[in-house]
Structure formats: C-alpha cells, structure tokens
C-alpha cells in the first residue's frame, strides 16, 4: 500500500493543533438544549389500486408507499436566537457533514448551537436516513475514494496540498471516506427543493446553509419559499440560475465534468433572489487561470461562475457576495471548510456576516 506523501513538520504541526483543539473541546461547557427531535418532511405517496387482503399481505394491491421525503434532525438551544440555521449537505454526503469532524472536533452543528442558533440538519430525499425514494436504483460498491480525495482538494493523491487544513493522520482520512453516503435514487433538484421548502413551511423563517451540490436546490428553495431569509453557500458548483436570455457562456475546464453551464429561469423568479442577502464561500487551492491540474481547474470554473452570478444579482439590486477565503486571510481550506482544522475561524467569518446582515438577533 502506498503511503501518502508530504507529511512534513507543517503536517505534524497541524496534527498537534487538531489534538490540542480536541482536548480543549472536551473542556467546553455543557450544551443546554431546550428542544431536540427528528421528523420526515415533504415527499409523496404511491397507492396501489385494489384492496388490501389480510390473507395475502405481501401483495401490493391496496397498499401504500411513502418516499422522496427529507429527514430532519433538530436542536434548539436555550435562549435561542430568532433565525434557525437549516443545513443542506452536498453530493455523496449526508447530515453527518455538519456534525463531528473526521478527527473528532465539533462541527458547525455544535459550534453554532453554542452561538445560540437553532439547528436543523437535513438528509435530502434519496440519501442517508431519507433513503426511501420513489425511483428504482441499484448501489454498486465502486473503489473511487482517491478520486474524491483529489476532487475535494485535500491534495493530488497521494500528496496533501502544502498547508492544507485537513488532518493528516490515517484514522481521520478513514473517517472522511466512511462518511460518504450513496444515493438510493437519482439526484433530482426539484425533489430536493420541494422537501426543503416544506421544512421552511413547517418551521417558519430561517437561514439556509448549503454545501456543493446543495447550492442549486438552495437557490430554487429561496425562489419557491419566501420564508428563506438568507442563503449561505459553501462551494456551490452546479445549479447556478440566470434570467432567460442572460445565461453566460459556458466556462471551459479541464475538470472531469467538462464545461460548466448555467440554467435559464424566468426573470421574475431570478428577481426573488435579489430580495435576500446571499453569501458564497470558496476555499484554497483553486486555480486563478486555466490549468491542466483538473481538480484546481474544476473549482476555478465554479468560482468564476459564482462571481458572474453574484454580479448579475447585484446589478438587479441584490445583495450577493462571493468570499474567496484565502483572499480574506483564511488559508488552506478544502472543499469542506466547515470541518477543516480551522473550522472555528471559518465559523467566525460566517458569524461576522450574519451579524453584518442583522441575522443574529
């Protein structure tokens, strides 16, 4: 088995920082939770024709099947702030992405509970604990984890990027691999959007926080439901929506998924996104110019489209901002800034933005 290279004094230092951070968190004051629970939201129901026969209980006639809902786990701290944070994961992930980090530190779930925000963690339809989909599928165990190591900018396998904010011990990497979660049905942005919107109908006004593939359903949910008070997006790639006739040219990339294209929607829908504050964050090791280093170039196209998208929103009177974390002095982040070694610093940046926008009352 090949060993991952570039384990230097810097990486040893990162591991020591992580160990000290974990030790310090064990000394944190207890969390005071006023309410906690879970439920399913959204989804559809299939009913087979006929009548249910108790003597033939395995026959489908007259029976029902509920699916395509989201699963929600929530916690409300004592003395909670007004606006809850609703967290939607990205591709291949589940609500686990917001919980404890791969090396055992507190993730955004606990960090923001300690900052008195109610927390709602979703598993989107056809993923994780919301696995009952309305479409057939099969799950094939495919060896692809070194691809994801590279795609998610931990490094170019087997090398870590210099100064990357990811723990370099083997146990943490295994935990990272094991948190990946398969689809139990094809990804459908409209199905995801319907369930997330149903959650806001249930809980009222709140702030939607998305990651990666969750970005597209995030914009669509904000369009569909005025109870979305703001959107925070970590490293969205696909799913950017533009007014009809104003979709920019595709952005070519050496990334494995080819050129990045926007999606056309009616101007009236696009204008709904100009009514709320939006912030988008990207981490480090993203190319500034086209390159054959495919992972860096993939995310270059995403960052460029995000900047074009935000500029158009602002042209129409919106309040959208793209923050490239290294340009803000927050260095070394992967595709998962909220669980990297410096995730408290990343959370501080989000808290600053929430306060600036009056969303932390």
């Amino acid at each position: 088995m090949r060993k991952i290279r570039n384990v230097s004094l810097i990486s040893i230092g990162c591991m020591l920082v992580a160990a000290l951070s974990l030790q310090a968190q064990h000394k944190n004051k207890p969390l005071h939770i006023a309410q906690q629970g879970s439920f399913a939201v959204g989804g559809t129901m299939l009913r087979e024709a006929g009548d249910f026969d108790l003597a033939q209980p395995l026959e489908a006639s007259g029976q029902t099947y509920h699916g395509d809902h989201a699963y929600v786990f929530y916690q409300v701290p004592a003395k909670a702030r007004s606006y809850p944070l609703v967290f939607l994961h990205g591709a291949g992930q589940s609500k686990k992405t917001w919980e404890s980090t791969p090396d055992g530190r507190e993730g955004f779930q606990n960090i923001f509970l300690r900052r008195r925000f109610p927390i709602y963690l979703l598993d989107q339809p056809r993923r994780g604990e919301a696995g009952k989909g309305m479409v057939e599928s099969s799950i094939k165990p495919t060896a692809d984890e070194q691809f994801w190591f590279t795609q998610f900018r931990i490094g170019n396998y087997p090398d870590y990027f210099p100064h990357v904010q990811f723990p370099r011990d083997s146990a943490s990497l295994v935990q990272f691999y094991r948190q990946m979660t398969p689809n139990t049905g094809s990804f459908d942005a409209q199905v995801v959007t319907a369930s997330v919107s149903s959650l806001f109908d249930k809980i009222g006004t709140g702030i939607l926080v998305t990651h990666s593939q969750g970005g597209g359903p995030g914009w669509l949910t904000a369009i569909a439901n005025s109870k979305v008070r703001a959107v925070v997006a970590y490293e969205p790639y696909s799913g950017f929506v533009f007014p009809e006739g104003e979709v920019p040219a595709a952005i070519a990339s050496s990334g494995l998924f080819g050129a990045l294209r926007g999606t056309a929607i009616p101007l009236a829908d696009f204008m709904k996104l100009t009514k709320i504050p939006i912030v988008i964050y990207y981490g480090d090791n993203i190319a500034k110019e086209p390159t054959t280093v495919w992972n860096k170039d993939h995310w270059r196209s995403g960052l460029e489209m995000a900047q074009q998208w935000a500029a158009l929103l602002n042209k129409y009177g919106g309040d959208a901002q793209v923050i490239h974390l290294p340009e803000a002095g927050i260095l070394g982040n992967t595709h998962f800034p909220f669980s990297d070694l410096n995730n408290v610093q990343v959370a501080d940046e989000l808290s600053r933005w929430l306060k600036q926008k009056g969303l932390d009352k």
Side-chain angles (χ1 to χ4, degrees):
M1 182 182 242
R2 297 174 72 189
K3 292 184 178 179
I4 297 180
R5 299 191 293 270
N6 281 4
V7 178
S8 61
L9 289 175
I10 292 172
S11 63
I12 293 171
C14 287
M15 287 186 278
L16 287 172
V17 168
L20 290 172
S21 176
L22 181 57
Q23 184 180 27
Q25 288 189 48
H26 288 161
K27 298 178 181 179
N28 276 336
K29 293 180 180 179
L31 282 164
H32 296 283
I33 305 298
Q35 299 177 47
Q36 175 176 297
S38 61
F39 53 87
V41 68
T44 58
M45 182 192 74
L46 168 68
R47 184 185 296 276
E48 289 288 347
D51 297 315
F52 174 67
D53 184 353
L54 189 59
Q56 300 290 331
L58 297 182
E59 293 292 328
S61 298
Q63 301 209 50
T64 59
Y65 179 90
H66 289 76
D68 278 358
H69 49 266
Y71 170 87
V72 182
F73 174 77
Y74 72 93
Q75 292 176 298
V76 179
K79 300 180 180 179
R81 299 182 190 272
S82 298
Y83 294 130
L85 300 179
V86 174
F87 289 95
L88 176 62
H89 57 77
Q93 300 292 311
S94 68
K95 66 184 183 300
K96 172 67 180 74
T97 201
W98 309 104
E99 298 172 354
S100 298
T101 67
D103 58 331
R105 292 169 295 110
E106 289 190 332
F108 268 27
Q109 175 188 11
N110 278 12
I111 289 172
F112 281 97
L113 279 172
R114 294 191 183 281
R115 299 180 185 190
R116 298 191 294 109
F117 285 91
I119 299 296
Y120 289 79
L121 307 180
L122 286 111
D123 279 350
Q124 71 184 31
R126 308 175 186 174
R127 191 82 59 80
E129 295 190 70
K132 285 185 70 178
M134 301 299 291
V135 295
E136 285 190 39
S137 68
S138 60
I139 298 173
K140 180 180 179 180
T142 302
D144 60 359
E145 290 168 349
Q146 286 63 43
F147 157 70
W148 291 115
F149 178 103
T150 308
Q151 174 73 2
F152 291 155
R153 303 194 324 280
I154 298 171
N156 289 323
Y157 192 87
D159 297 326
Y160 287 94
F161 284 132
H163 315 299
V164 71
Q165 294 281 358
F166 189 92
R168 304 194 187 200
D169 62 290
S170 59
S172 295
L173 187 57
V174 169
Q175 285 291 314
F176 177 75
Y177 289 152
R178 290 192 181 279
Q179 79 179 41
M180 297 193 70
T181 306
N183 289 316
T184 58
S186 56
F187 173 77
D188 187 320
Q190 296 297 333
V191 169
V192 176
T193 298
S195 288
V196 181
S197 183
S198 293
L199 174 60
F200 279 92
D201 286 338
K202 181 180 178 69
I203 68 173
T205 306
I207 300 161
L208 180 57
V209 184
T210 68
H211 178 226
S212 196
Q213 190 183 59
W219 318 134
L220 296 178
T221 301
I223 290 169
N225 198 317
S226 62
K227 293 177 182 175
V228 178
R229 178 65 181 79
V231 178
V232 178
Y234 285 96
E235 298 222 345
Y237 177 74
S238 58
F240 286 104
V241 291
F242 295 85
E244 293 167 339
E246 297 187 67
V247 179
I251 301 175
S253 168
S254 63
L256 304 186
F257 301 99
L260 177 58
R261 292 174 169 81
T263 300
I265 61 172
L267 176 60
D269 286 344
F270 183 82
M271 289 300 295
K272 294 177 182 178
L273 295 171
T274 69
K275 309 304 180 185
I276 59 173
I278 295 172
V279 65
I280 305 176
Y281 294 105
Y282 287 90
D284 217 329
N285 294 298
I286 296 174
K288 295 181 179 179
E289 298 176 351
T291 175
T292 57
V293 182
W294 56 265
N295 54 343
K296 290 187 174 186
D297 208 52
H298 172 91
W299 294 108
R300 173 193 59 80
S301 64
L303 175 56
E304 286 186 14
M305 183 158 286
Q307 291 167 333
Q308 293 181 31
W309 184 75
L312 189 59
L313 279 172
N314 293 337
K315 177 182 175 181
Y316 276 102
D319 179 8
Q321 186 177 7
V322 178
I323 297 178
H324 193 194
L325 292 174
E327 294 178 3
I330 302 174
L331 305 175
N333 285 107
T334 70
H335 186 50
F336 293 78
F338 43 81
S339 60
D340 283 335
L341 291 169
N342 62 344
N343 67 341
V344 172
Q345 186 182 18
V346 174
D348 289 345
E349 164 58 33
L350 176 53
S351 287
R352 179 201 63 78
W353 184 83
L354 292 171
K355 182 176 180 63
Q356 181 188 68
K357 300 303 176 182
L359 298 170
D360 63 345
K361 307 299 185 185

